[in-house]
Amino acid sequence: MNVVKAKHLGFCFGVKQAVDTARRTVSKCGAKGIPVYACGSIIHNAHVTRSLEAEGLIVVSDIGQVPDGSVIIGRSHGEPLSFYDRATAKSLVVVDTICPYVQRIHRLVRDVKRAGDIAVIVGDRRHPEVVGIRDRSGASVAIVDSREGALAVANRACEENKSLFVVVQTTFDRGKFRDLEEIFRDLREGRLRRADGDGAAFFRRVDVTIHNTICNATENRQGSARSLAGSVDAMLIVGDRASSNTRKLFEIAESGCARTYFIEDINDLPLKDIQLCNTIGITAGASTPERIIKEVITRMSEFKNENNESNPMHEFMDEIDKALRLPRNGDIVTGEVIQVTDKDVIVNIGCKKDGVIPRNEVVLEAEQRLPDLFKEGDEVQAKVLKNDDGDGNILLSKKRVVISEHWEDINAARDDKGTLEVTVIKEVNGGVIASFKEINGFIPMSQLSDRYVEKADEFIGQTLTVKVMRVEQKRNKVVFSHKAVLNEERQKRMMEIWDTIHVGDVIDGKVMRFTEYGAFVDIGGIDGLLHISEISWGKLRHPSEILSLDQEIKVKVLSMNKEKEKISLGYKQNLPEPWSVIHDKFTVGQIVTGKAVQVKEYGVFVELEPGLDGLVHISEIAFKRVNNISDEIEVGQTITAKILEIDQERKRISLSIKETLDRTSLEGGVLKDATEVPSGKMKDALHEAAEKVGEALENIGDRVGDITESIADKAGEIVESIAEKAEDILDAIHPPKASADEDAAGEATPETVAEAPATETVEAPAADTDAEAPATETVE
Ligand code: F3S
């Protein structure tokens, strides 16, 4: 037995605030010895009234019974105007607990009174709330609670030519009001007939204003009661019989559930009547306190436990009930196989009809027959396709159950982020179709692998582990991703690797692929980058100069970036840095061979081994003068040179090519290739030629020496002759004087000196002219 509580039940906010206000007033006044009165029950519930009386509230039936000057509580559903008049006359202090919803109706009908129209109050004319509303709306009032009453008001409005202004008691039945509302709408539209079945007579059109003033609390409670009553075997309505809203709940529930019981508390529980019911609904009026509801629910739970312990009758009734009930289409039923043929399987599903599973509603492997799968007495689950297949059987499908289970697996994999095994069937536009058992799904090309896939041929027929990306079961659609699995695995491996390797470790790797800037090396499931500069100590143009694909190598972990998931590796670190061991391999004076790797204006760099370049200075290239190195040496050429100096600290090696050549070489230049280095006879011939050249030069030197000597002698004679000639000329111009003149000349006056020119041109006398002498001579 299940006990189900209505969604909305018990105290509404209006009732709650009325009870709380009354309780506070009684408490405060009681403390000062002031009695508090109420004219009738504050709310319609005897339990609450009794409880308030116990606290000090005095309930009287007429205000006349209240002593002058006392305190009196005004009730939540409002009081008639006469109440306030009499209270004033008796000098009573009124503590009003009227609900705001009721107050709102008072305001609405007050306006009607001013307009002089007819106020129609839909409600119970005896209910204090309706009485209070009527009082406030003056003389033109009509109170209706039935179709007849509504038609009578319509007639009156036509006759008196008045408009109607409709309000509703807050706790009135919502469904009932809808019927009456329709009448008033029809009247407003001019389509209300005067009598049922009389097609000719219509009420004339009347101006009608309708205010649905049923409060939310009432509507909610009535709505929940209505829907609950339709789904249970019995309904319990908890509340006071004097409560209008509780009575409405009862009427509503009763119309949906034949076994509806009105109970005030646990004492009224019809336990015997409901003990065979499977589901029992409970609701309560707006004036029913929570305590009473709780008591009822608790008792029902106890009863349920007692009842469930062992009740053969209950079980028997259940069986009968089940046997009579037919499953609905779409239900999954369980039954026992009672007959198997090649055509179908007959199943007893415990109701008055047998179920039939035709062959095409079973998943069969090739060549498989129904008797291979089923035998009598087997328990089988199947889905109801039709509860009558035309032959009086229930048409069942085993395949749909299986497919449903597979969809469940797919949904579970999606929700739990699990994986499934699928088989790739065929390539389609943008991807492939892959089947998970009987369900076909789609794998987009981009989700087939964690690398770029151009054609899906290689995947056809393969079983792939996939994740479920999207499911639209209603449209039979599911999208898988193999890439997501690969990524997850990679991530997992990555995490393991991060935890196990450290910067500086030397680990095994396998060269997977090359790029222009290096090689990717698999280090146990993930790829690390081996940059081209970390492959060799020397310069590389491409990693393939040193490595090959699939080569297994040892690499050193240079750096790890966990955030970017990048690992940098080194390969050259497996060998010592060449400069650190240079003295182990090279010494000054050693003749070495290397390759010209760079030609500069000042020299050429020769690679002796990767990472170890030496410089041949331009002056060390050849004995002859070299102006342009490129004319002599080209990059890539093999060079033989002698080590002149090794500076380990500055990482410099000085080399000389010419030191490897013979000084006496006629060529004196650079040999184009090491293979051109002369040897044997050639060398001897060159030596001989060189000696001859030496002798020739010596002879030339001797001759030059003779000529130079002869020229020098001649020149000396000429100079001497000129000097003698010049002396003669001077003597002719200035004959030699006595020694006194010589002294006088030594004391010459300044004037004399001034007159003497610095140079003078002397014309030789014609008589004395020597034929060989020059015509003029300049003498300083
Ligand atoms: Fe007020 Fe509605 Fe309750 S009118 S008293 S809230 S039932």
Side-chain angles (χ1 to χ4, degrees):
M1 176 193 291
N2 288 323
V3 178
V4 185
K5 210 170 83 168
K7 193 173 172 194
H8 299 279
L9 77 172
F11 267 16
C12 61
F13 98 94
V15 166
K16 186 170 183 312
Q17 67 131 31
V19 174
D20 288 348
T21 305
R23 192 159 275 144
R24 266 200 314 274
T25 307
V26 168
S27 167
K28 279 185 185 172
C29 293
K32 294 175 185 168
I34 305 167
V36 180
Y37 292 84
C39 219
S41 304
I42 289 174
I43 64 164
H44 287 140
N45 188 281
H47 286 276
V48 177
T49 305
R50 277 200 294 274
S51 151
L52 286 171
E53 281 179 327
E55 288 169 41
L57 181 71
I58 303 162
V59 179
V60 294
S61 55
D62 187 88
I63 195 168
Q65 297 170 277
V66 180
D68 293 357
S70 302
V71 174
I72 189 164
I73 305 281
R75 295 168 296 177
S76 62
H77 38 247
E79 299 287 359
L81 285 177
S82 58
F83 170 86
Y84 296 96
D85 294 341
R86 294 175 72 189
T88 307
K90 289 171 76 64
S91 304
L92 300 179
V93 175
V94 178
V95 177
D96 223 330
T97 65
I98 185 169
C99 173
Y101 286 116
V102 181
Q103 256 180 331
R104 175 172 169 257
I105 304 176
H106 288 181
R107 284 198 299 274
L108 286 170
V109 294
R110 201 174 295 136
D111 290 341
V112 182
K113 185 179 171 186
R114 280 190 214 122
D117 293 331
I118 300 173
V120 180
I121 306 168
V122 178
D124 177 356
R125 65 181 59 246
R126 291 158 300 167
H127 195 281
E129 178 188 326
V130 174
V131 174
I133 296 168
R134 186 202 59 199
D135 270 9
R136 283 159 180 87
S137 55
S140 292
V141 165
I143 299 172
V144 300
D145 63 354
S146 64
R147 188 176 170 79
E148 293 71 35
L151 288 171
V153 172
N155 195 38
R156 183 180 153 198
C158 284
E159 283 178 2
E160 295 178 14
N161 196 21
K162 287 193 170 176
S163 302
L164 298 182
F165 190 93
V166 182
V167 293
V168 199
Q169 183 185 341
T170 54
T171 51
F172 198 75
D173 181 344
R174 179 80 185 82
K176 243 178 164 180
F177 172 65
R178 262 199 215 109
D179 291 343
L180 304 182
E181 189 181 26
E182 201 180 315
I183 292 173
F184 293 122
R185 282 184 198 281
D186 285 349
L187 181 65
R188 188 168 60 195
E189 303 298 327
R191 57 175 185 237
L192 181 66
R193 295 178 192 281
R194 285 199 166 267
D196 292 342
D198 184 351
F202 282 88
F203 285 97
R204 71 174 177 80
R205 195 186 289 256
V206 169
D207 189 12
V208 182
T209 304
I210 304 170
H211 285 279
N212 176 1
T213 48
I214 298 175
C215 86
N216 282 344
T218 303
E219 281 204 46
N220 290 340
R221 279 153 188 72
Q222 290 179 359
S224 326
R226 193 172 288 113
S227 63
L228 184 59
S231 63
V232 296
D233 301 319
M235 275 293 284
L236 300 177
I237 314 299
V238 189
D240 198 302
R241 289 178 196 282
S243 161
S244 160
N245 74 80
T246 313
R247 285 200 308 272
K248 295 276 165 29
L249 288 181
F250 176 77
E251 286 168 23
I252 289 166
E254 199 179 27
S255 65
C257 176
R259 287 183 186 173
T260 297
Y261 303 89
F262 200 132
I263 60 168
E264 291 202 351
D265 50 36
I266 51 170
N267 299 318
D268 296 340
L269 273 172
L271 296 179
K272 271 191 182 169
D273 293 351
I274 59 174
Q275 69 176 342
L276 294 179
C277 297
N278 280 331
T279 311
I280 295 166
I282 295 181
T283 189
S287 50
T288 310
E290 199 180 348
R291 178 180 62 81
I292 304 288
I293 301 169
K294 273 185 182 166
E295 278 177 6
V296 171
I297 291 172
T298 307
R299 180 67 194 105
M300 285 304 298
S301 298
E302 288 167 2
F303 178 68
K304 172 184 154 186
N305 293 337
E306 292 159 13
N307 203 40
N308 276 358
E309 268 175 18
S310 174
N311 191 335
M313 176 60 84
H314 190 209
E315 285 164 18
F316 176 66
M317 291 297 287
D318 268 357
E319 285 299 313
I320 291 176
D321 198 34
K322 200 176 151 198
L324 290 174
R325 229 187 294 137
L326 281 178
R328 284 173 297 187
N329 294 348
D331 281 357
I332 304 289
V333 292
T334 305
E336 185 186 326
V337 175
I338 51 175
Q339 191 186 340
V340 184
T341 68
D342 273 333
K343 250 177 69 195
D344 48 31
V345 180
I346 311 296
V347 185
N348 174 10
I349 57 171
C351 70
K352 58 185 179 181
K353 290 182 186 178
D354 286 335
V356 177
I357 309 175
R359 188 177 190 284
N360 62 357
E361 288 299 335
V362 178
V363 179
L364 292 171
E365 305 278 320
E367 308 297 319
Q368 212 171 20
R369 295 165 56 238
L370 289 177
D372 298 335
L373 275 187
F374 301 94
K375 62 179 189 304
E376 286 174 22
D378 281 354
E379 188 180 281
V380 65
Q381 261 200 338
K383 186 170 188 173
V384 178
L385 298 182
K386 273 187 200 169
N387 59 17
D388 190 345
D389 66 350
D391 293 331
N393 294 316
I394 296 169
L395 183 62
L396 302 176
S397 171
K398 176 69 183 159
K399 191 196 272 178
R400 307 288 172 97
V401 173
V402 173
I403 290 175
S404 295
E405 285 168 4
H406 295 165
W407 277 112
E408 272 173 32
D409 292 343
I410 288 174
N411 285 322
R414 179 202 54 195
D415 296 344
D416 305 341
K417 303 193 180 347
T419 59
L420 300 171
E421 298 286 310
V422 300
T423 306
V424 180
I425 302 171
K426 59 176 177 178
E427 186 173 357
V428 290
N429 199 14
V432 296
I433 298 294
S435 69
F436 171 69
K437 297 172 183 172
E438 286 73 37
I439 299 168
N440 284 349
F442 177 63
I443 308 181
M445 205 69 106
S446 62
Q447 298 298 318
L448 262 176
S449 172
D450 54 353
R451 60 182 165 80
Y452 174 69
V453 178
E454 196 170 351
K455 290 200 124 249
D457 309 10
E458 59 177 298
F459 292 94
I460 308 298
Q462 272 192 37
T463 300
L464 301 178
T465 307
V466 294
K467 291 229 166 209
V468 179
M469 308 304 290
R470 211 172 65 238
V471 182
E472 281 183 76
Q473 194 175 336
K474 278 188 183 161
R475 297 175 64 201
N476 244 8
K477 286 190 173 174
V478 55
V479 179
F480 301 121
S481 169
H482 181 50
K483 182 182 176 179
V485 175
L486 297 176
N487 283 346
E488 197 175 272
E489 284 173 357
R490 185 176 162 278
Q491 193 67 26
K492 216 168 141 193
R493 283 197 302 272
M494 195 84 167
M495 296 315 291
E496 286 167 9
I497 288 172
W498 286 116
D499 293 343
T500 52
I501 64 170
H502 306 92
V503 171
D505 287 355
V506 175
I507 52 177
D508 293 321
K510 188 175 180 182
V511 180
M512 300 307 290
R513 63 196 163 98
F514 291 137
T515 68
E516 288 301 312
Y517 53 87
F520 282 94
V521 178
D522 178 2
I523 51 170
I526 60 165
D527 289 352
L529 174 64
L530 179 55
H531 193 268
I532 193 163
S533 62
E534 300 297 344
I535 294 175
S536 166
W537 290 110
K539 288 185 181 65
L540 295 180
R541 272 173 296 177
H542 194 267
S544 58
E545 289 173 34
I546 298 275
L547 303 171
S548 54
L549 289 177
D550 292 333
Q551 185 183 347
E552 293 189 349
I553 55 174
K554 291 247 181 237
V555 283
K556 186 170 186 175
V557 180
L558 301 181
S559 68
M560 299 170 72
N561 187 331
K562 203 166 182 175
E563 269 177 24
K564 294 184 179 171
E565 297 182 354
K566 284 184 178 171
I567 297 180
S568 300
L569 305 170
Y571 178 65
K572 67 182 185 187
Q573 289 77 3
N574 293 326
L575 297 169
E577 201 272 325
W579 283 100
S580 66
V581 291
I582 189 163
H583 291 303
D584 297 347
K585 294 183 177 177
F586 301 101
T587 53
V588 173
Q590 187 179 344
I591 305 293
V592 289
T593 304
K595 225 171 222 176
V597 287
Q598 230 179 346
V599 174
K600 299 278 185 188
E601 274 179 21
Y602 54 87
V604 55
F605 285 95
V606 178
E607 187 189 63
L608 302 182
E609 66 173 48
L612 214 57
D613 295 352
L615 173 67
V616 183
H617 190 265
I618 190 166
S619 61
E620 292 296 334
I621 289 175
F623 289 120
K624 70 173 184 181
R625 182 182 176 81
V626 175
N627 289 322
N628 188 356
I629 300 174
S630 300
D631 293 343
E632 312 295 338
I633 295 173
E634 27 183 72
V635 170
Q637 186 180 323
T638 304
I639 300 291
T640 298
K642 186 177 182 178
I643 298 177
L644 300 180
E645 191 190 350
I646 297 174
D647 185 343
Q648 189 180 19
E649 204 175 308
R650 295 166 70 201
K651 295 188 174 172
R652 286 183 180 176
I653 303 174
S654 301
L655 302 172
S656 171
I657 295 173
K658 76 178 183 188
E659 285 289 322
T660 64
L661 303 174
D662 195 324
R663 275 179 188 279
T664 57
S665 166
L666 254 182
E667 298 294 327
V670 177
L671 297 173
K672 289 291 176 191
D673 195 280
T675 55
E676 292 178 22
V677 173
S679 64
K681 286 180 182 175
M682 175 75 88
K683 204 169 179 179
D684 293 339
L686 282 170
H687 272 267
E688 214 175 295
E691 275 172 21
K692 281 180 181 168
V693 169
E695 282 170 19
L697 282 173
E698 231 172 86
N699 289 338
I700 290 167
D702 291 345
R703 291 295 301 270
V704 167
D706 292 344
I707 293 166
T708 307
E709 219 173 296
S710 151
I711 291 170
D713 289 345
K714 208 71 182 162
E717 285 172 18
I718 292 168
V719 169
E720 216 174 309
S721 148
I722 291 171
E724 281 172 7
K725 204 78 178 154
E727 212 174 313
D728 291 343
I729 292 167
L730 280 172
D731 283 347
I733 297 167
H734 301 290
K737 288 179 182 174
S739 60
D741 287 341
E742 284 172 13
D743 295 340
E747 292 172 20
T749 62
E751 290 80 353
T752 313
V753 173
E755 281 171 15
T759 60
E760 56 181 40
T761 301
V762 182
E763 280 188 14
D768 295 342
T769 303
D770 192 310
E772 287 174 26
T776 60
E777 279 184 277
T778 301
V779 180
E780 284 190 37

